[in-house]
Amino acid sequence: MGIDIYAIKPSPPCRAVFLVAKAIGLDYNLKIVDMEKGENRTPEFLKMNPAHTVPVMTDGELSIGDSKAIITYMMNQYAPANLQSLYPRDPAARALVDQRLYFDSQLFASLRGIVFPLVFMKDLKQSQANMPRVDENMALLETFLTRSTYLAGEHLTIADLAMLSNVSSVETGGLDMSRWPHVQAWLAKLKAELPYYEQANGEGAQMMGAMYKNALKELGGK
Ligand SMILES: N[C@@H](CCC(=O)N[C@@H](CS)C(=O)NCC(=O)O)C(=O)O
């Protein structure tokens, strides 16, 4: 019984879920999905999430895919009162967090656009063609982070934790982070502040970065 999370460690959306669970001290059973064996396309998995993506969460009768739906549910259902500021109840403050979460999905989609063709299709050209979208989103993130210390204001929210899973992958993937100094400073600050960083995110980010860099090397890219 309890909460089950179907996931893989390198995936940024899965790491967003690990980070938020750690932040609020929520226990769950981790069910690693073997994507190479097609475990995300079995009838049982597709019943939980027809989009065949990880992460998926089950909690009693509820099965839900998409990291944003999962982390906001976790906050709404399980966050203790003293941690509500991670996903504020005030509509205006929450709107800001939600906006950053939607932006994070956009940034993830652009990252997928460089990783998927390279790692799974061995298509360097397509990956490189998609790179400007990543740069554009990272520049937008830089702009947000010139306006506030954290992504949605002056304190940590789940928008930071979701974005952290993506930006740490940009760093481990070897992209030139010096182009976005506020993002670099924010990343260093979160790594230092979150005692659960390494366990929930660091190890998986290294795995993702290695997959990207190895494929790039294999295909002769830079
Ligand atoms: N918007 C989704 C994206 C999830 C996603 O694309 N997950 C990838 C791994 S990083 C996946 O499961 N891909 C397998 C597939 O598309 O079949 C979320 O935030 O959960």
Side-chain angles (χ1 to χ4, degrees):
M1 284 303 283
I3 295 177
D4 289 338
I5 302 288
Y6 295 79
I8 54 173
K9 284 191 178 171
S11 153
C14 295
R15 286 185 269 119
V17 171
F18 303 155
L19 281 162
V20 172
K22 277 282 179 201
I24 62 172
L26 183 65
D27 286 332
Y28 59 88
N29 310 305
L30 177 61
K31 310 266 187 188
I32 296 287
V33 179
D34 191 334
M35 313 285 264
E36 278 179 26
K37 282 195 187 150
E39 286 180 2
N40 59 325
R41 290 184 186 255
T42 62
E44 297 76 27
F45 192 94
L46 293 174
K47 202 169 160 204
M48 294 189 295
N49 181 17
H52 48 78
T53 54
V54 288
V56 170
M57 184 203 68
T58 63
D59 187 11
E61 295 297 303
L62 176 68
S63 305
I64 190 151
D66 201 289
S67 57
K68 304 302 186 297
I70 295 170
I71 62 178
T72 51
Y73 171 79
M74 284 174 160
M75 287 303 304
N76 291 333
Q77 183 76 334
Y78 293 111
N82 64 329
L83 294 174
Q84 297 287 336
S85 61
L86 285 169
Y87 192 41
R89 301 257 169 191
D90 170 68
R94 179 166 286 203
L96 206 61
V97 176
D98 286 339
Q99 189 275 327
R100 303 304 197 253
L101 288 174
Y102 293 124
F103 169 58
D104 178 66
S105 291
Q106 175 182 314
L107 193 140
F108 169 72
S110 64
L111 285 181
R112 192 178 183 281
I114 62 165
V115 173
F116 188 82
L118 197 74
V119 174
F120 299 108
M121 293 155 68
K122 306 291 177 203
D123 186 341
L124 177 63
K125 251 188 163 176
Q126 185 60 58
S127 173
Q128 285 174 335
N130 291 339
M131 188 61 90
R133 269 310 271 154
V134 173
D135 291 345
E136 198 182 309
N137 283 317
M138 288 299 291
L140 191 47
L141 178 61
E142 175 72 10
T143 301
F144 284 132
L145 288 170
T146 57
R147 296 181 180 180
S148 55
T149 311
Y150 293 91
L151 190 48
E154 292 309 310
H155 63 82
L156 184 78
T157 68
I158 57 171
D160 294 287
L161 299 176
M163 188 59 81
L164 179 59
S165 70
N166 283 318
V167 171
S168 55
S169 310
V170 173
E171 186 188 47
T172 57
L175 274 69
D176 175 13
M177 297 290 291
S178 68
R179 291 174 288 169
W180 312 295
H182 287 83
V183 177
Q184 255 184 328
W186 166 88
L187 179 59
K189 182 175 167 62
L190 289 189
K191 282 183 185 176
E193 278 178 5
L194 304 176
Y196 47 83
Y197 175 81
E198 196 47 45
Q199 193 195 352
N201 187 70
E203 184 195 351
Q206 288 298 341
M207 290 162 85
M208 172 56 80
M211 279 162 68
Y212 178 77
K213 282 193 287 199
N214 290 343
L216 196 61
K217 198 170 162 197
E218 188 188 321
L219 297 169
K222 281 193 248 169

